[in-house]
Amino acid sequence: MSQSVLATPLTLPCGAVLPNRLGKGAMTEGLADPHNRATDRHVTLYKRWAAGGTGMLLTGNVQIDRRYLERPGNVAIDGSNGGLKALEAYAAAGTSNNNHLWMQISHAGRQTPKAVTSEPVGPSAVPLNMPGGLFGEPRALSVEEIEVLIDRFANACLTAKQTGFTGAQIHAAHGYLLSEFLSPIANKRDDQYGGSLENRARFLLSVLRKARAAVGPDFPISVKLNSSDFQQGGYTHEECLQVVEWLGQEGVDLLEISGGNYEQPSMMGSDGAMEPIYDSHVTERTKAREAYFLNYAKSIKQVSTIPVMVTGGFRSRAAMEDAIRDGDADLVGIARPLCIMPDLSNKLLAGQIDMAPAYEQTLRLGPGILGPQSNIALIKALNFGGVQAWFCEQIFRMADGLDPDPKMGVFRAFLRYQRGEGAAAKALVY
Ligand SMILES: Cc1cc2nc3c(=O)[nH]c(=O)nc-3n(C[C@H](O)[C@H](O)[C@H](O)COP(=O)(O)O)c2cc1C
């Protein structure tokens, strides 16, 4: 049997080589201690993911400021919390199969929940347009604060390198701080960081310049970028293409393409619920529907030579192989299936499996109007939260040395997750 194209190594502009074309999309773990340091549970989890054969693992987002977490159990590198030894152990476990482990570096911005802070920060004092009152009204960052954050991003990249991570990814997608600066909806500034696209992209580009200077030419730096925010009046795909051109001048090794934010969670598929995939026979139409950012990646490839990872929806081996063979993507990003089948990549590479598990297509709180297609907004939101919680609980199980449990109920997962997050927020020590 001929070898799958997925098994081909990928050489990045900085010279680093990824062993195959499969990358794990970042997934927040929620496993840090009350000082936001990594723990033994990261070690257990990432040993398992490394053994699973994925060539490049991304961590869940690691925050540059403990005050602005995306969730209480985030790891943070913020100078005051120590934790370097724990990061070394984390990195060693996550690279234990001659694979890469890259740290995703982030600042949650106005998407920092109230459980973490009543006053998040953002480009401007524009609150999230979401029901439920889970997020406070943000305060606009001063120019001096932005400059400190640029240094913190660069410093976190250097810490990643020094502690044994084999690359870093700057998170500029999904409505977190850098993505907020790109968005004309969240960014109403009239200084050098707002207004024109050039100004809105200044924060991100400054971060990259400093980060590259800090880590040197040989260390992989990636950016996770939205292909679009998919919002009326928001950051568009045309703007994305211009940002990509600018990123080309900053020595970026891998561009990961995603989309959306908390207000518009396109990164999980339409309305957060992917359309069912019926079989592994992939036509052009189903390929585009399955890997929902692939067409955006194609247009990005027309304006840029930066290698591209596309994450979101890939489930059939045929679509993954086609995307690589056709040159639409250089790396296939996979996230949710690895919560339930951590050795999926080994199976794909060996040709032992044609379809990744796709539990998100069937998981729901209940039948009919209790499901994700309910026309009651609250029930829809609860389904989205419940399914996310289900995947997070699977991550917890693997971190505790257990196998994933595909039979876990969504409602039970949701309740347990909420209880755990509440307790973790109360336990934070500042
Ligand atoms: C439980 C969970 C946690 C996630 N956490 C992050 C994160 O920390 N950073 C990030 O960029 N994306 C995060 N994502 C989004 C994934 O990286 C990915 O873009 C998304 O799940 C779509 O890919 P998939 O269809 O292969 O799951 C998360 C997704 C899930 C399900």
Side-chain angles (χ1 to χ4, degrees):
M1 198 182 71
S2 66
Q3 211 186 26
S4 166
V5 68
L6 299 175
T8 324
L10 175 66
T11 304
L12 300 173
C14 69
V17 180
L18 305 183
N20 58 50
R21 301 306 182 102
L22 297 170
K24 171 193 157 291
M27 284 184 284
T28 175
E29 304 92 3
L31 297 172
D33 73 9
H35 298 269
N36 300 107
R37 296 175 297 216
T39 64
D40 290 345
R41 295 174 83 201
H42 289 96
V43 171
T44 306
L45 174 65
Y46 277 86
K47 232 183 227 166
R48 183 147 189 188
W49 267 331
T54 308
M56 192 275 277
L57 302 174
L58 272 159
T59 69
N61 54 62
V62 170
Q63 305 294 346
I64 60 163
D65 189 330
R66 289 193 64 211
R67 293 169 300 173
Y68 306 109
L69 309 167
E70 150 272 328
R71 107 186 237 219
N74 285 159
V75 172
I77 295 175
D78 110 346
S80 60
N81 68 338
L84 295 183
K85 281 267 164 293
L87 285 177
E88 284 171 8
Y90 183 171
T95 52
S96 53
N97 193 19
N98 291 321
N99 61 298
H100 274 253
L101 174 66
W102 293 6
M103 182 188 282
Q104 186 184 61
I105 298 172
S106 185
H107 183 302
R110 67 177 186 156
Q111 293 185 164
T112 306
K114 262 190 194 156
V116 173
T117 181
S118 56
E119 191 186 60
V121 290
S124 307
V126 180
L128 280 173
N129 182 13
M130 286 179 73
L134 292 173
F135 301 91
E137 180 159 338
R139 171 179 70 75
L141 287 165
S142 68
V143 169
E144 293 71 31
E145 286 176 305
I146 293 171
E147 284 164 1
V148 169
L149 293 178
I150 292 169
D151 284 342
R152 280 184 180 233
F153 269 108
N155 180 54
C157 287
L158 182 60
T159 303
K161 181 179 180 187
Q162 289 171 337
T163 52
F165 291 80
T166 55
Q169 181 180 74
I170 305 297
H171 197 344
H174 299 176
Y176 296 118
L177 187 65
L178 290 171
S179 157
E180 286 161 19
F181 269 79
L182 289 171
S183 157
I185 293 176
N187 184 347
K188 302 287 185 197
R189 302 177 74 94
D190 56 11
D191 62 8
Q192 68 268 42
Y193 291 102
S196 67
L197 180 62
E198 194 182 0
N199 282 351
R200 282 181 275 129
R202 190 179 306 281
F203 192 176
L204 170 61
L205 295 172
S206 305
V207 163
L208 284 164
R209 217 159 293 150
K210 272 245 155 124
R212 179 53 80 197
V215 299
D218 306 333
F219 189 71
I221 298 183
S222 166
V223 174
K224 187 163 185 171
L225 190 69
N226 277 355
S227 49
S228 164
D229 286 350
F230 302 104
Q231 286 178 298
Q232 197 106 49
Y235 158 87
T236 63
H237 187 52
E238 286 65 40
E239 292 186 320
C240 162
L241 293 177
Q242 177 58 69
V243 173
V244 167
E245 280 199 59
W246 289 330
L247 290 176
Q249 295 154 26
E250 300 299 338
V252 172
D253 291 291
L254 186 75
L255 201 56
E256 185 184 358
I257 302 304
S258 188
N261 51 41
Y262 283 14
E263 292 172 339
Q264 177 64 263
S266 325
M267 66 294 247
M268 300 299 175
S270 54
D271 290 338
M274 287 172 56
E275 294 180 52
I277 303 161
Y278 296 105
D279 59 44
S280 59
H281 176 73
V282 179
T283 62
E284 266 312 302
R285 236 185 89 244
T286 54
K287 186 172 78 172
R289 196 182 61 186
E290 176 179 337
Y292 35 84
F293 298 120
L294 202 59
N295 282 336
Y296 294 96
K298 278 189 199 181
S299 59
I300 284 169
K301 281 203 144 288
Q302 280 165 13
V303 299
S304 164
T305 56
I306 306 172
V308 168
M309 168 172 171
V310 183
T311 305
F314 273 114
R315 296 296 178 268
S316 71
R317 183 156 58 88
M320 297 176 197
E321 289 177 339
D322 275 8
I324 300 294
R325 205 179 292 114
D326 298 348
D328 300 339
D330 300 284
L331 201 66
V332 167
I334 305 174
R336 286 166 287 187
L338 292 168
C339 294
I340 207 77
M341 190 182 280
D343 61 349
L344 169 65
S345 297
N346 281 336
K347 292 179 172 149
L348 288 168
L349 293 168
Q352 289 168 353
I353 194 169
D354 290 328
M355 290 292 293
Y359 284 89
E360 61 285 344
Q361 292 173 10
T362 48
L363 288 169
R364 57 202 60 237
L365 279 178
I369 60 155
L370 294 178
Q373 306 310 333
S374 174
N375 49 18
I376 304 166
L378 183 65
I379 295 191
K380 221 175 164 134
L382 284 175
N383 269 281
F384 184 77
V387 172
Q388 277 295 106
W390 189 90
F391 285 105
C392 290
E393 289 291 323
Q394 305 294 354
I395 291 176
F396 284 155
R397 285 182 66 84
M398 289 192 282
D400 291 332
L402 302 169
D403 285 328
D405 173 13
K407 295 207 172 73
M408 185 189 290
V410 174
F411 192 58
R412 215 186 75 205
F414 184 61
L415 290 182
R416 205 168 44 204
Y417 177 80
Q418 293 301 335
R419 263 201 311 272
E421 291 299 289
K426 282 207 188 86
L428 284 172
V429 178
Y430 285 100

